[in-house]
Amino acid sequence: MRVLAIDTSNLVLSVAVVEEARVLGEMMTNLQKNHSVRLMDSISGLMDELNLLPDELAGIAVAQGPGSYTGVRIGVATAKSMAWALGIPVVGVSSLQAVAMNAAGFSGGIVPMFDARRGQVYTGGYRTQEDGSVALALPERIVLLREWLDALSEEWGDSPMMFLGDDVAMHRDLIAQRMGRRAVFAPAAFNHPRAAHIGWLGIRRLAEAGSPHDMVPEYLQVAEAEAKWLAKQNG
Amino acid sequence: MKRQNEPRYIERVREHYRRRREAGKPVFILGVETSCDETSAAVIQDGTLVLANVIASQAEVHKRFGGVVPEVASRRHVENITLTIEEALDKAGKTLEEIDAIAVTYGPGLVGALLVGVAAAKAISFARGIPLIGVHHIAGHIYANRLVTEMRFPLVALVVSGGHTELVLMKEHGSYEILGETRDDAAGEAYDKVARALGLPYPGGPHIDRLAHEGEANVPLPRAWLEPDSYDFSFSGLKSAVLNTLHNASQRGETIEPANLAASFQASVVEVLVEKTIRAAKAHEARQVLLAGGVAANRGLRAALTERCEQEGLALVIPPLSLCTDNAAMIAAAGYIDYLKGNFAGLDLNGIAGLPLSDRTMD
Ligand SMILES: [Zn+2]
């Protein structure tokens, strides 16, 4: 069984084709732009290299967010449309979990994060599982980084925590200052999401996939205009 | 490292095209349109016959914001896109197996919204080896007319909507020359702004049109003719004049009958649109005048243009309302011309907010 995996939810573009027990191929670029232009050519190029045709795919796994709204939509729209056209299942995988997978095996807390502007981050807390994956321990959220670091101290106490993601660099000083020696900063390559992880996580959940029509992004927050409108209704 | 062979996608598309052209069967184009707030998919036969034209409108959603919110529109598109496409195929009684090409709007429009349709169309094209065609949204509006009657060249098209006001000359299929366009607000935009000033709900066009018929055009308002030879439009001065009139009246403690103001505003917009269109049609010896875009629903504009075209002996085509507002049937109709020319897009097709309407004629 072969599954195509896609991540365009943040700055990195990554695509992979995986089987249950191995990665057939993976492509990752950190050009930080033009996901719309490059995604389909990247998929096409990788599948040509692997000598695979689309109808040889058994499913698709996609980074569902959080992340750049537009980036998430490009990935999700592409994945659900391809799955629908091929009559195969599509599953969404958290973009944060994809990054957290780079730290699978780490015995402390695993903290992937993406910057969400105005001092906020998209983040969550993960822990290594016996099967070699990582599972959510502290729910994903959009939160002020300061508040998040306080919450981590409360939840995880003196345990070491590995901070992951391209955007950790811009918050490194604050994290180091607040968390002290508990903070572990990952090697550079661990910061980038890899579609191979998304494929590996997704392939094990293909059976539970719903209709491709129901696949929607996970933004973690409503659109600003909608938030304002809702506040006005309740205020 | 340079690839030795062409991507297999291109081979598959070429094979698809060759096989289906040789079969000599009717051509079925799947259209996809997501440039603003309508998610639409359609199937049309041979560029002229609508088999299905499904429009998932978001108008109700955006009403509460008093205008289209791009982020909200984009979110809805991604929720609706495959459902809408499937519904169009079902209604047409077709499967992807029977589709000759996918035509998608790639601009102009809201970029986030465009990207959803473009991503979906590319994904389906790649999955099934179906040729992909990128369509300019204005070309789509113009080709809505071909779903009503055959086009006769040269023709002059007036495209007016919330997003655009363009006067286009076509000398043959697939060839577009912009004679004039708005230098500031689109006509529909001016309608929305004036409607807001009059306390009318969004979208304002239909409300102003209705009010205008109840009033008398007795409030003096300017007409922006610009330079004598220009086919361009400008509506921001008119919009300001309306706002000033309201403001001054309230300063003096007077009230202006909204119906009269609406009638006067509409008279000014319509006169400029109609006279420039007639002048362009005569200058280019047009055999047909087309009206397209959402504002084509405006009764005042339809009536005035009909009357002037009759006076001048010009053949006028106005598609039914369902084809004037944004829809995918018109996109598929425009895409059919590219299909016949084998003018296909690559997988790197992008959504472009400010896409120019260039001459797409190919040898
Ligand atoms: Zn339009």
Side-chain angles (χ1 to χ4, degrees), chain A residues 34-41 43-49 51-56 69-70 73-74 76-82 84-86 212-217 219 221-226 229, chain B residues 1 3 6-9 12 30 61 64-65 69-72 74-86 89 96 112 115-116 118-124 126-128 346-351:
Chain A
N34 291 344
H35 290 344
S36 163
V37 173
R38 297 174 50 244
L39 175 60
M40 281 314 308
D41 270 334
I43 293 172
S44 176
L46 178 64
M47 291 185 63
D48 281 358
E49 290 288 343
N51 200 23
L52 281 176
L53 286 170
D55 59 12
E56 293 175 86
Y69 294 164
T70 299
R73 276 193 286 273
I74 290 167
V76 169
T78 299
K80 74 188 282 188
S81 302
M82 245 185 106
W84 170 77
L86 293 167
H213 297 317
D214 299 331
M215 169 58 56
V216 292
Y219 301 103
Q221 60 179 342
V222 298
E224 204 175 325
E226 256 170 335
W229 183 80
Chain B
M1 197 168 73
R3 198 179 292 282
E6 285 195 314
R8 287 171 76 183
Y9 165 73
R12 288 188 293 131
L30 170 66
V61 179
R64 72 175 75 135
F65 306 120
V69 178
E71 175 59 24
V72 174
S74 304
R75 289 185 177 203
R76 292 292 165 133
H77 285 313
V78 80
E79 287 164 18
N80 293 337
I81 189 69
T82 54
L83 263 179
T84 308
I85 293 171
E86 183 173 276
L89 287 168
L96 279 180
L115 287 177
V116 175
V118 168
K122 291 199 292 189
I124 298 167
F126 174 75
R128 303 294 292 261
L347 291 176
D348 58 352
L349 185 71
N350 198 11

Side-chain angles (χ1 to χ4, degrees), chain B residues 176-209:
Chain B
Y176 311 93
E177 188 185 322
I178 298 214
L179 299 175
E181 60 199 320
T182 184
R183 292 184 185 170
D184 37 60
D185 295 350
E189 232 176 317
Y191 267 89
D192 284 338
K193 287 175 182 169
V194 167
R196 201 175 306 153
L198 289 174
L200 299 169
Y202 169 90
H207 295 282
I208 297 218
D209 191 23

Side-chain angles (χ1 to χ4, degrees), chain B residues 21-43:
Chain B
R21 294 301 282 159
E22 278 173 5
K25 296 226 179 83
V27 175
F28 300 108
I29 310 255
L30 170 66
V32 176
E33 151 71 37
T34 63
S35 68
C36 190
D37 63 337
E38 322 275 11
T39 317
S40 181
V43 179

Side-chain angles (χ1 to χ4, degrees), chain A residues 157-174:
Chain A
D158 292 334
S159 156
M161 299 167 214
M162 186 181 283
F163 290 85
L164 298 155
D166 274 328
D167 300 334
V168 166
M170 70 172 85
H171 299 298
R172 186 170 174 145
D173 290 347
L174 180 64

Side-chain angles (χ1 to χ4, degrees), chain B residues 137 141 164 326:
Chain B
H137 185 76
H141 273 303
H164 12 262
D326 290 351

Side-chain angles (χ1 to χ4, degrees), chain B residues 33 35-36 108 137-138 141 159-164 293-294 324-327 330:
Chain B
E33 151 71 37
S35 68
C36 190
H137 185 76
I138 301 290
H141 273 303
V159 184
V160 267
S161 78
H164 12 262
C324 280
T325 48
D326 290 351
N327 69 88
M330 69 187 198

Side-chain angles (χ1 to χ4, degrees), chain B residues 142-179:
Chain B
I142 295 172
Y143 269 88
N145 289 278
R146 197 158 185 240
L147 302 169
V148 179
T149 183
E150 192 47 78
M151 291 157 94
R152 285 160 58 210
F153 302 106
L155 66 78
V156 165
L158 172 65
V159 184
V160 267
S161 78
H164 12 262
T165 310
E166 262 116 4
L167 206 45
V168 182
L169 171 68
M170 285 184 72
K171 290 180 176 156
E172 59 183 320
H173 279 301
S175 149
Y176 311 93
E177 188 185 322
I178 298 214
L179 299 175

